[in-house]
Each structure stands twice: as structure tokens, then as C-alpha cells.
Amino acid sequence: MMRNVNYVLLGAVVGASAFGVAQKVDFFGLPATAAISDTYRSLNLFGDVFEKVRTDYVEKPQDQKLVEAAINGMLTSLDPHSSYMDAKSFRDMQVQTRGEFGGLGIEVTQEDGVVKVVTPIDDTPASRAGILAADLITAIDGESVQGMTLNQAVDKMRGAVNTTVTLTVLRGKEKKKLDVKLTRAVIQIKSVRSRKEGDDIGYIRITQFNEQTYDGLKAAMQKFQQEIPADQFKGYILDLRNNPGGLLDQSVAVSNAFLERGEIVSTRGRNADETQRYNARPIDISKGKPVVVLINGGSASASEIVSGALQDHKRATLIGTRSFGKGSVQTIIPLGQNNGALRLTTARYYTPSGRSIQAKGIDPDIVVLQDVPDELKGKDDLKGEASLKGHLKNGDAEEHGSQAYVPPDAAKDKQLIAADELLRGIKTAQQLAQQSPPKATEPKATEPKTTEPKAAEPKSEAAPETKAPDADKKN
């Protein structure tokens, strides 16, 4: 989940302190301490190493690349979701959040030196070519991705429209090797897709949270309300499966579409005065109709904010499998002067009841596993946040992902079928829960509510915690 913040002044200060280390500068009018002196000695050490590499490396290196690599190394050592974006990467990120960019249409992260597909984006070259979630990309146009950063691999997959690229993919437990040729296209992300389920249910799928998401959701809901008579309208299915997240403000707005009041999410940084709470306004455009939310192992970040808020307010029944477990917020900090931007983890987020889902995920009210075709068994699970190297810790009870397979044929989609049956009253939540795999800690299933949700009480600060869509890239 990303928060866009324009910290140009901060960028200037960071630039001065990081590279202008010839003398000590006391920005805050405080005496230099031993700790500050140690920091400057370390920066002097960096300067010594930098100069030695510039003068003695076997081939003349590019100073800018050395500096960028050092910055990125510092940030990626913090957690899987912090990174440095050069000017080009920053421009690409801005285009992505607007919902349109050029490339293949794959959400990827990096794992064990290779590029791992989080999910192909609907109606893109990747989805049409059969790229699947959890595929491992080992080479791009014959060049191994080993040794590449995630940004470098993404850059190689991007290119001019109508040009081709060949991905070498390993699939499933057997690591079956496939060469997939794709033609690059303009990726126009329609983040909200909708259709009627029968004549009485509104189905809405959100693929990611970009700047157009809430407007797309609102339009879809209003269309359903015009087409389906109120006395026949059974409710909404909100499909967040394999949605890797996106913008914080959009997740708040989407949650508010189903809530009248109460807290939606809180973000808590290192200091207590950095806590922010986001509350619902009385604009529930769902008009109190029942809601079922579908989630799985690929539902991350902003998807988990929406799921957690609706679950805590008992406004929706969650069906599917445990979500990814990314409970941190990344702030985009522009550095000015065409210097790119930092993507820095600045806070954890908490659901209205005070839950941190970091490295744990959200457990659905009703667990429903899909029937996975034999040829795809072994690749239908995502490991989750808790399996990412360097993730922020969240106590001892971390969970490691779950099934992320969604059948392309809706008639075989057991989670969708369960949602239809629940909304139409064919089966109760308890009956569906009895069909779920046994799980001692599974939360009690709840019926979809038609009444207004109870406002969440303000929560006290959580005890200090002891944690890659964001590590995930779009191309």
C-alpha cells in the first residue's frame, strides 16, 4: 500500500546530509553527540570506499550508478518494500498509479534471485499468453535474471508497444521450463470490472487500487441499483482475490462505500504523534445491502485494509483463503531535481479492532478451497509476507500464505459459488463453514448484515511490534 507525499524539502535535506559530508552540520541547533559523530565517521568511511572504487576498479564505473546502488542497498536492507526509484522508475510508478502504462501486465516480486509472478493483470498480454501466479521468471530474452534487481528485470520486460519479448518460466513443483513469447502493449488498467450474477447479485472485481478505483466502484454500484429492482437485489460480491494492493486513500474510499461510520484503518509510525486514523463518512452507497468479500493468498495490502475493515464492522462475510499479510505503509518521497524518489516503509496499519495483519494475513470467515487442476498443483499457493526475507516481524504467530488459484471458468469457482449461495439464502454461513477444511482457529462465520455497522471505538496504541505488488512491480 502506498501513500503519496510530496516531501521536496525533506529530499533536499536528505541529499545534503547524505552527500555533503565534508563537514558536520547541526540542522536542529543541538550539540553533536557521540552517536552523531559515529554516524559521520561511517559516512566518511562510505566516502573513502566510494573514492577507492572510482579510482581503482578494473573498469571505470559510472558515479551515478554507484551512488544509486549504495542508496538502494541501504533501503532494501530495511525490509522487502523499501527501495530507491531513479527518475525513470519514479515516472513509471506515477504512470502506474494513474492506471496506464506500457508493458506486459504482470505483478511481480523477487524471490531467491528470480522474478516471481504475483498475478497477471486481467486482459493483458501476460494473462492472454497464459502466465500464471507463482510462475518463476528465470530469463528475459535469453538473459538470466540472476544478479538483476527487480527494477532492472521490470525494465527489460517493458518496451515499445508491438515489440516482442520472450520469458523463460519455471512452473509448478516440477519446475517445468517454458518459453513464453509476448507482444508488448499499452496496459490500460481497468481496475474495476463488474457484472450481474443472475438477475439479483452485483459482482464487482477490483484488480488493484489506483486513482480510478473508487470512481469505477461507485459507477458499477450505481449501475446495479438502476438495473436490479431493490426488492430483488440480494447484495454485492466484492472480489479482491489476487489484488496486490495500491493506494491507501483508495482503499479507504472503497471501504467507505459500504460503511456509514466508524474507523476504517489506522496507521502508526515510529512515534506516537505520527498515528493517523481514517474514519468513514456517512456516504454508504451500498444502501445497506449484504456484502460478501472474496479473498485469497494473493490479496495484499490495500485489499487487506478493505477486508479487515468490513470484517471488523461485521459489514461483510469474508470467503476464500487467508490473505497475503502485508501490513505496512510505504510513503513515496520525491527527492527533487530529477533525482527520483524513495519508497520508504513509514508505518504499520491496523484494522478497526486494532489488529495488525503484518505477516499474519486476514483469515476469512468461511474457508473455501478451490479444486486445482493436476497440472497446476504445487503452484497454487503464495508463501505470503512472512516468507519474504527481511520482513517486519509481528510476534511469533506468523502465517505463511495460502492458496491463490482462481479458476478461469466461473462455473468451477467454488468461492464464487459459495458467495452466490450465501447471498441467495440457499445455504447459511454455518452450513458453508461446516464444509470448510477443519481449522481450530478459524473465526466464527457471520451472516451478511443489512443493518448499519456499529461505530468502532477508538483504540489505544498497540504494544511495540518485535514484518514484494511495495515490493511488487508492474510491467
Side-chain angles (χ1 to χ4, degrees), residues 225-296:
Q225 291 166 7
Q226 292 171 0
E227 295 180 349
I228 305 174
D231 60 343
Q232 298 176 25
F233 198 172
K234 302 297 185 184
Y236 296 95
I237 296 173
L238 182 62
D239 191 347
L240 301 179
R241 294 175 296 181
N242 292 332
N243 179 326
L247 299 175
L248 170 62
D249 61 344
Q250 292 294 305
S251 69
V252 171
V254 168
S255 301
N256 204 163
F258 300 97
L259 295 172
E260 278 287 329
R261 62 173 68 90
E263 183 177 302
I264 292 173
V265 66
S266 63
T267 62
R268 309 178 193 179
R270 183 163 61 183
N271 302 313
D273 59 0
E274 296 172 342
T275 297
Q276 297 186 54
R277 299 185 185 278
Y278 299 84
N279 296 310
R281 296 174 296 156
I283 58 170
D284 174 8
I285 59 177
S286 68
K287 297 184 178 179
K289 290 294 184 181
V291 184
V292 172
V293 178
L294 302 181
I295 60 171
N296 66 7

Side-chain angles (χ1 to χ4, degrees), residues 74-376:
M74 173 175 62
L75 291 166
T76 56
S77 71
L78 299 173
D79 68 82
H81 306 294
S82 294
S83 63
Y84 168 72
M85 294 179 285
D86 61 19
K88 179 181 181 301
S89 298
F90 183 35
R91 288 194 298 271
D92 290 344
M93 185 277 297
Q94 291 174 306
V95 171
Q96 291 171 19
T97 58
R98 286 196 295 269
E100 179 178 297
F101 58 92
L104 304 177
I106 318 174
E107 298 280 353
V108 294
T109 189
Q110 199 161 38
E111 183 177 294
D112 298 329
V114 299
V115 176
K116 183 174 183 178
V117 177
V118 175
T119 184
I121 299 170
D122 289 349
D123 295 332
T124 64
S127 64
R128 290 192 289 268
I131 297 295
L132 299 173
D135 278 351
L136 301 177
I137 300 172
T138 59
I140 304 167
D141 280 335
E143 183 178 350
S144 173
V145 300
Q146 290 284 347
M148 291 185 191
T149 67
L150 189 58
N151 281 334
Q152 289 170 337
V154 167
D155 283 343
K156 286 189 69 65
M157 286 186 277
R158 291 177 178 172
V161 173
N162 294 326
T163 60
T164 60
V165 60
T166 299
L167 304 182
T168 301
V169 170
L170 300 182
R171 179 170 294 169
K173 287 184 178 179
E174 297 79 15
K175 306 293 185 189
K176 183 180 179 181
K177 185 177 178 180
L178 303 169
D179 286 327
V180 184
K181 187 175 182 180
L182 305 97
T183 300
R184 297 181 178 97
V186 174
I187 308 301
Q188 295 180 324
I189 302 284
K190 185 178 180 182
S191 65
V192 177
R193 303 177 186 278
S194 62
R195 67 173 187 266
K196 287 193 293 184
E197 285 283 302
D199 295 321
D200 54 358
I201 292 174
Y203 170 88
I204 301 171
R205 170 166 162 73
I206 299 179
T207 58
Q208 64 174 280
F209 290 83
N210 61 29
E211 292 177 5
Q212 285 80 43
T213 299
Y214 173 72
D215 289 340
L217 174 76
K218 181 179 179 181
M221 295 175 72
Q222 290 176 338
K223 184 178 179 182
F224 288 141
Q225 291 166 7
Q226 292 171 0
E227 295 180 349
I228 305 174
D231 60 343
Q232 298 176 25
F233 198 172
K234 302 297 185 184
Y236 296 95
I237 296 173
L238 182 62
D239 191 347
L240 301 179
R241 294 175 296 181
N242 292 332
N243 179 326
L247 299 175
L248 170 62
D249 61 344
Q250 292 294 305
S251 69
V252 171
V254 168
S255 301
N256 204 163
F258 300 97
L259 295 172
E260 278 287 329
R261 62 173 68 90
E263 183 177 302
I264 292 173
V265 66
S266 63
T267 62
R268 309 178 193 179
R270 183 163 61 183
N271 302 313
D273 59 0
E274 296 172 342
T275 297
Q276 297 186 54
R277 299 185 185 278
Y278 299 84
N279 296 310
R281 296 174 296 156
I283 58 170
D284 174 8
I285 59 177
S286 68
K287 297 184 178 179
K289 290 294 184 181
V291 184
V292 172
V293 178
L294 302 181
I295 60 171
N296 66 7
S299 304
S301 196
S303 298
E304 294 171 296
I305 287 179
V306 175
S307 302
L310 298 184
Q311 186 181 57
D312 280 4
H313 283 285
K314 301 191 186 321
R315 180 64 184 89
T317 300
L318 273 55
I319 293 178
T321 60
R322 185 190 310 112
S323 64
F324 189 84
K326 181 181 178 293
S328 62
V329 181
Q330 283 66 49
T331 300
I332 305 302
I333 307 172
L335 298 178
Q337 299 297 320
N338 204 33
N339 286 326
L342 303 182
R343 185 199 304 266
L344 187 65
T345 300
T346 53
R348 298 171 187 257
Y349 72 77
Y350 295 79
T351 70
S353 66
R355 290 185 292 167
S356 168
I357 59 88
Q358 169 60 24
K360 294 181 179 180
I362 291 178
D363 286 308
D365 300 301
I366 303 170
V367 176
V368 177
L369 296 176
Q370 304 282 12
D371 293 329
V372 181
D374 290 341
E375 65 271 19
L376 299 180

